[in-house]
């Protein structure tokens, strides 16, 4: 039975399908203590609540019938289902003619997702313009939204629908009772996900002085979790839940896990030309060619993010919505040399037996690390006392070092273990700016 907002349900009128949450308190606490003239200790803590995550109509309650459903119009070689200029007959589009109804459900009174964040840092000034900071940052996510099979068909022989706990063939909706095919999979949304993040963070900064600024930072961290994102940008490949009845097995490296991240950036105004330490009296061609230059760079080295493995087909004969069947691990995944054709040891994985789930852990492997250098050169040409032209040359991914994509993750396909994609190549651009 589907109960809509404004309808009677469980003995009382439902104003909304999801109850309003009114008890979210988000405290913030920050402390700073000057230990010495050049040393400061900082710490802080806060709670941050999330929202109902919009992820497209298909995943929300609005995707349920009668608001959304599909009707098939079938033609024959000699008789079209309908003509476009006439359109389909109104009676052919009613809910009673719907096929393959899919349902999406949410908890009636879901706990609101929230994150606790905290940090502790020690800052030390040394020299005239230098600052060094080292500290710890942590976070914990609770009641994170997950989307999984709510009418799960467990491993075993037989039809999927026959093994599901809910086998309803009628749908009660307002004053109608419709005959439907077996309910099948249900897109169930549940606030039961968790995540943790712990990191050592440090940075070295030279504030802009004498035409030079420098910032170097390094993070060493570990992120654990048991959830998948709602879109490709927030997911690792082949992310899914192998057995919704035992979500404890999903805890592992989170999709956003990046153990090492090093970034250094800086700008250097070359010390010759108008208004600078050398050549301040230059003019004419000398100033035009050699004065007013500056260069800058951003260099980064980032560990590869983890990804999941899956198997082709459905050997376990389980429900498929949000479900992934992983392979069995039978060897060392990192044995041998990483190549484009064989990024990991594909022989270390095997198909699980019939009606079995694999033993591979979530996010078992990880992509290659990425190196990137963005470079810029700027030249200013004075046109008068208050006007100047600025020429800019910028090179993104300047060394064109390959940033390989994730290899094939599905055992039983031709691309398993092969890298078939890479990030954007080097991009060079020129610009001219008039400043007055």
């Amino acid at each position: 039975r589907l109960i809509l907002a404004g309808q009677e349900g469980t003995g009382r009128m439902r104003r909304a399908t999801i109850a309003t949450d009114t008890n979210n308190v988000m405290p913030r606490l920050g402390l700073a203590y000057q230990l010495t003239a050049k040393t400061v200790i900082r710490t802080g803590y806060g709670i941050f609540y999330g929202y109902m995550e919009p992820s497209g109509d298909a995943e929300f309650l609005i995707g349920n019938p009668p608001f959304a459903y599909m009707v098939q119009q079938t033609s024959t070689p000699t008789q079209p289902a309908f003509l476009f200029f006439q359109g389909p007959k109104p009676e052919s589009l009613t809910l009673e003619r719907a096929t393959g109804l899919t349902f999406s459900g949410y908890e009636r009174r879901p706990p609101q997702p929230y994150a606790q964040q905290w940090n502790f840092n020690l800052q030390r000034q040394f020299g005239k313009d230098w600052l060094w900071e080292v500290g710890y940052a942590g976070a914990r996510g609770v009641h994170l939204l997950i989307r999984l099979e709510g009418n799960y068909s467990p491993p075993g022989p037989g039809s999927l629908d026959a093994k599901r706990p809910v086998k309803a063939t009628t749908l009660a909706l307002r004053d109608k009772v419709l005959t439907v095919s077996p309910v099948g999979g249900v897109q169930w949304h549940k606030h039961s996900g968790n995540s943790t993040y712990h990191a050592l963070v440090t940075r070295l900064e030279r504030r802009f002085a004498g035409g030079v600024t420098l910032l170097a930072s390094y993070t060493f961290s570990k992120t654990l979790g048991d959830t998948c994102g709602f879109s490709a940008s927030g997911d690792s490949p082949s992310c899914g839940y192998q057995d919704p009845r035992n979500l404890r097995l999903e805890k592992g490296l989170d999709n956003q896990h990046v153990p090492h991240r090093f970034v250094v950036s800086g700008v250097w105004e070359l010390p010759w030309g108008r208004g600078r330490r050398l050549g301040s009296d230059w003019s004419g061609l000398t100033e035009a060619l050699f004065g007013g230059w500056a260069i800058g760079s951003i260099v980064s080295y980032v560990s590869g993010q983890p990804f999941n493995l899956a198997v082709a087909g459905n050997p376990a004969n389980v429900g498929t919505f949000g479900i992934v069947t992983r392979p069995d691990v039978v060897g060392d995944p990192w044995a041998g040399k990483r190549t484009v054709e064989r990024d990991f040891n594909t022989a270390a994985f095997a198909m699980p037996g019939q009606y079995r789930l694999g033993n591979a852990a979530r996010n078992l492997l990880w992509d290659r690390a990425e190196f990137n250098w963005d470079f810029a050169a700027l030249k200013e040409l004075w046109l008068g006392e208050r006007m100047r032209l600025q020429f800019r040359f910028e090179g993104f991914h300047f060394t064109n070092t390959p940033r390989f994509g994730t290899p094939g993750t599905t055992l039983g396909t031709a691309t398993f273990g092969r890298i078939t994609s890479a990030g954007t190549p080097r991009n060079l651009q020129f610009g001219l700016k008039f400043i007055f």
Side-chain angles (χ1 to χ4, degrees):
R1 182 183 179 193
L2 286 180
I3 300 176
L4 308 182
Q7 284 188 291
E8 194 76 21
T10 61
R12 62 193 180 104
M13 188 68 71
R14 290 177 180 262
R15 178 179 176 271
T17 52
I18 298 178
T20 304
D21 192 347
T22 58
N23 61 350
N24 299 330
V25 179
M26 295 186 284
R28 307 285 195 280
L29 176 65
L31 299 173
Y33 177 70
Q34 187 172 6
L35 194 62
T36 68
K38 294 186 176 183
T39 305
V40 175
I41 296 175
R42 303 179 187 274
T43 187
Y45 173 84
I47 294 179
F48 305 83
Y49 276 87
Y51 299 92
M52 293 298 295
E53 297 188 31
S55 54
D57 289 350
E59 325 313 339
F60 261 108
L61 296 178
I62 195 175
N64 278 322
F67 308 109
Y69 58 90
M70 181 177 68
V71 174
Q72 280 190 317
Q73 299 282 309
T74 305
S75 62
T76 70
T78 59
Q79 182 66 39
F82 61 89
L83 300 177
F84 279 115
F85 77 93
Q86 294 176 336
K89 296 179 181 180
E91 63 269 19
S92 69
L93 301 180
T94 60
L95 182 60
E96 287 82 355
R97 293 181 178 270
T99 57
L101 291 176
T102 58
F103 301 93
S104 178
Y106 275 83
E107 296 172 289
R108 167 70 178 133
R109 296 182 177 276
Q112 201 74 352
Y114 69 92
Q116 301 177 69
Q117 300 180 15
W118 58 88
N119 63 76
F120 179 85
N121 297 284
L122 177 67
Q123 294 179 334
R124 173 71 178 179
Q125 180 184 348
F126 62 97
K128 183 180 179 182
D129 303 303
W130 290 89
L131 175 72
W132 176 62
E133 178 179 351
V134 63
Y136 158 75
R140 179 172 181 256
V142 181
H143 300 312
L144 305 180
L145 184 61
I146 66 174
R147 185 181 61 190
L148 71 167
E149 175 67 86
N151 196 19
Y152 179 60
S153 182
S159 71
L160 295 181
D161 290 333
K163 297 184 297 169
R164 297 183 190 277
V166 178
K167 304 178 180 64
T169 56
T170 60
L171 170 65
L173 177 63
R174 292 177 176 162
D175 57 345
K176 297 180 180 180
V177 177
L178 306 177
T179 299
V180 298
S181 57
V183 171
V186 176
Q187 304 176 46
W188 181 243
H189 300 73
K190 188 177 181 181
H191 290 74
S192 63
N194 297 274
S195 68
T196 57
Y197 171 82
H198 301 281
L200 166 71
V201 292
T202 185
R203 68 183 177 102
L204 179 66
E205 179 181 358
R206 186 187 192 279
R207 294 165 182 163
F208 188 78
V212 178
T213 182
L214 179 71
L215 176 62
S217 60
Y218 170 70
T219 302
F220 173 55
S221 65
K222 187 169 187 177
T223 310
L224 297 175
D226 55 12
T227 65
C228 289
F230 272 24
S231 63
S233 59
D235 256 342
S236 64
S238 298
C239 194
Y241 305 95
Q242 185 159 243
D243 187 348
R245 302 167 304 176
N246 189 3
L247 293 177
R248 291 184 178 182
L249 296 178
E250 299 302 319
K251 183 175 181 179
L253 296 178
D254 215 351
N255 300 342
Q256 297 81 21
H257 174 67
V258 179
H260 301 281
R261 183 177 183 89
F262 174 75
V263 181
V264 58
S265 61
V267 176
W268 180 28
E269 288 187 347
L270 302 185
W272 48 80
R274 179 173 176 174
R276 302 188 180 181
R277 192 167 70 251
L278 303 175
S280 59
D281 57 347
W282 286 354
S283 61
L285 185 60
T286 303
E287 168 65 19
L289 292 177
F290 303 107
W293 282 95
I295 57 175
S297 287
I298 302 175
V299 179
S300 62
Y301 176 86
V302 182
S303 299
Q305 291 182 255
F307 60 87
N308 288 280
L309 296 179
V311 299
N314 188 7
N317 196 35
V318 295
T320 57
F321 178 75
I323 303 299
V324 59
T325 299
R326 303 186 184 113
D328 280 337
V329 181
V330 295
D332 180 5
W334 298 116
K337 182 180 179 182
R338 298 183 84 169
T339 66
V340 173
E341 293 296 322
R342 181 182 173 276
D343 190 57
F344 55 86
N345 180 19
T346 55
F349 301 97
M351 283 281 190
Q354 190 178 27
Y355 309 133
R356 279 190 55 250
L357 301 174
N359 61 20
R362 176 173 179 262
N363 281 339
L364 179 65
L365 304 177
W366 48 87
D367 292 327
R368 302 188 187 196
E370 291 186 0
F371 171 81
N372 186 66
W373 178 20
D374 296 334
F375 173 78
L378 295 77
K379 169 72 173 79
E380 289 192 344
L381 180 64
W382 288 89
L383 304 179
E385 290 298 321
R386 303 181 62 181
M387 295 183 296
R388 64 187 188 274
L389 280 177
Q390 185 185 80
F391 166 79
R392 303 174 66 92
F393 164 73
E394 296 169 325
F396 300 95
H397 194 40
F398 193 53
T399 60
N400 211 26
T401 304
R403 293 175 290 176
F404 292 111
T406 302
T409 60
T410 304
L411 176 63
T413 63
T415 58
F416 184 59
R418 290 179 53 202
I419 295 177
T420 58
S421 64
T424 53
R426 177 170 47 214
N427 180 19
L428 306 179
Q429 66 182 33
F430 300 87
L432 192 65
K433 181 187 290 187
F434 175 59
I435 304 171
F436 61 94

